[in-house]
Amino acid sequence: MTRWWSRLRPDNFTLALLATVVLATVLPLSGAAAKGFDRFTDIAIAALFFLHGARLPRESIIAGLLHWRLHLTILVCTFVLFPLLGLATKPLAGWALTPELYIGVLFLCALPSTVQSSIAFTSIAGGNVPAAVCAASLSSILGVFLTPLLMTVLAGSQGAMANPLHAVGAIMLQLLVPFVLGHLLRPWIGRWIERRRPLLRYTDQGTVLLVVYAAFGESVSEGLWRNTPPLSLLAAALVAVVLLAIAMPGIGWLARRLGFNRADQITIVFCGSKKSLATGVPIAKVLFAGGSLGAIVLPIMIYHQIQLIVCSVVAQRYAKQNAEAAQQ
């Protein structure tokens, strides 16, 4: 029981997310303070992606790009399979899910893979770590372009989205340009950043908390909790569970059918089934600047916690199977 509770217990970051939502509900910013805080979050997001770019080794990019079949499979799972699953939830829109939560589910399905946890779980499970580094990073970079375009196809004019071309330009300026700049400066600052790995983790999490506070504060002022019934929140959580329950076994089956070895199968399962909260919240901030941002990011926040719990269990199972095979 203790072991299962340790797996199901929310981690510190999830508890911090919940505390941030409560704080934004009780003390939302408005007026000049909200605008100033919004500019500060923009700077924090740019710094985050600058650090990500400086951390990614050039050798991993080159080695990973040579494994094109693996990367193509992960990209298809991330940007084709998940959007199709998102469209399958359309019958729930309007009665089980509020319009904003439904847009949030579509947005969740259009997001790129997460970077840090995909690599961490792949490593724990004994997968192809260099390929995971490249695959997750490539997914995040392509998400700058593909997520706004996919949302245009999936949601149309719903959700008060910005013009997709303008959104791509704004997202590139805020995310991709700092990432490329950081990578170009890696020869000079890469070792310093590698010696301070916790810096990237705390910057990652801190930036998400800042954006979530700003997004929920604005949405609370616009009536987020008044317009979101508890049953709709429960429905959003169930949708997140079902999405992961379909995606992970389905992606594993696809990887086996395509003839990948075990290490590559593990990489495909983790990189193809995970969705990035750290990338998703900044993209949502640009894409839904005029919409109910708080409700739209709720599904990815819920999915984030569920994927951490499930992937932790699955990674340990893979590791146990690898150990047993090595003993035999």
Side-chain angles (χ1 to χ4, degrees):
M1 288 296 296
T2 303
R3 183 173 61 186
W4 276 103
W5 169 244
S6 66
R7 292 174 178 175
L8 296 175
R9 183 184 58 195
D11 60 3
N12 291 335
F13 178 57
T14 301
L15 294 175
L17 271 176
L18 294 175
T20 301
V21 171
V22 173
L23 180 62
T25 301
V26 177
L27 296 172
L29 295 177
S30 60
K35 291 181 179 179
F37 192 82
D38 198 50
R39 294 190 186 96
F40 177 70
T41 59
D42 289 342
I43 296 172
I45 291 167
L48 167 65
F49 280 84
F50 176 85
L51 292 173
H52 274 296
R55 184 182 175 186
L56 182 63
R58 190 78 48 87
E59 298 78 10
S60 297
I61 297 176
I62 296 172
L65 289 175
L66 297 177
H67 207 343
W68 64 269
R69 287 183 66 245
L70 179 143
H71 298 307
L72 182 61
T73 302
I74 291 172
L75 291 176
V76 167
C77 294
T78 302
F79 295 114
V80 178
L81 173 62
F82 264 96
L84 291 176
L85 292 176
L87 286 176
T89 65
K90 188 172 183 179
L92 299 176
W95 66 277
L97 296 172
T98 63
E100 293 79 12
L101 285 176
Y102 174 62
I103 295 298
V105 170
L106 295 179
F107 180 65
L108 155 66
C109 293
L111 283 174
S113 177
T114 186
V115 176
Q116 289 180 322
S117 56
S118 291
I119 297 169
F121 286 125
T122 299
S123 177
I124 292 169
N128 187 339
V129 175
V133 171
C134 185
S137 301
L138 180 63
S139 178
S140 292
I141 294 170
L142 291 179
V144 171
F145 307 96
L146 294 180
T147 297
L149 299 178
L150 278 173
M151 284 305 298
T152 302
V153 174
L154 296 174
S157 60
Q158 302 178 64
M161 287 195 303
N163 181 291
L165 295 180
H166 292 165
V168 168
I171 292 168
M172 284 182 62
L173 184 62
Q174 192 169 16
L175 308 186
L176 187 59
V177 171
F179 182 93
V180 172
L181 181 60
H183 188 67
L184 292 176
L185 293 176
R186 176 176 167 77
W188 295 277
I189 65 174
R191 290 183 180 179
W192 183 86
I193 290 176
E194 285 297 328
R195 291 196 299 267
R196 293 164 176 79
R197 280 181 172 267
L199 173 67
L200 186 58
R201 180 164 60 91
Y202 290 127
T203 304
D204 195 333
Q205 296 178 356
T207 302
V208 171
L209 294 177
L210 288 174
V211 179
V212 166
Y213 175 72
F216 270 87
E218 181 179 351
S219 297
V220 166
S221 300
E222 296 174 355
L224 169 64
W225 300 123
R226 293 194 305 272
N227 301 327
T228 307
L231 289 179
S232 292
L233 291 175
L234 177 61
L238 292 175
V239 166
V241 171
V242 171
L243 284 174
L244 192 60
I246 294 174
M248 287 195 76
I251 292 171
W253 175 85
L254 177 63
R256 291 191 297 272
R257 292 287 294 176
L258 292 176
F260 288 100
N261 62 40
R262 181 176 176 83
D264 288 346
Q265 289 176 25
I266 292 171
T267 302
I268 292 170
V269 166
F270 287 115
C271 293
S273 64
K274 295 178 73 61
K275 293 293 183 176
S276 177
L277 179 66
T279 304
V281 175
I283 291 178
K285 184 175 178 292
V286 176
L287 198 57
F288 303 102
S292 301
L293 185 56
I296 290 172
V297 300
L298 268 175
I300 179 59
M301 290 175 60
I302 296 170
Y303 187 89
H304 170 81
Q305 176 60 23
I306 294 170
Q307 74 182 3
L308 289 180
I309 295 172
V310 173
C311 288
S312 176
V313 175
V314 173
Q316 292 176 39
R317 183 176 299 172
Y318 273 126
K320 183 178 179 181
Q321 292 172 352
N322 291 339
E324 292 173 351
Q327 289 178 354
Q328 293 174 359

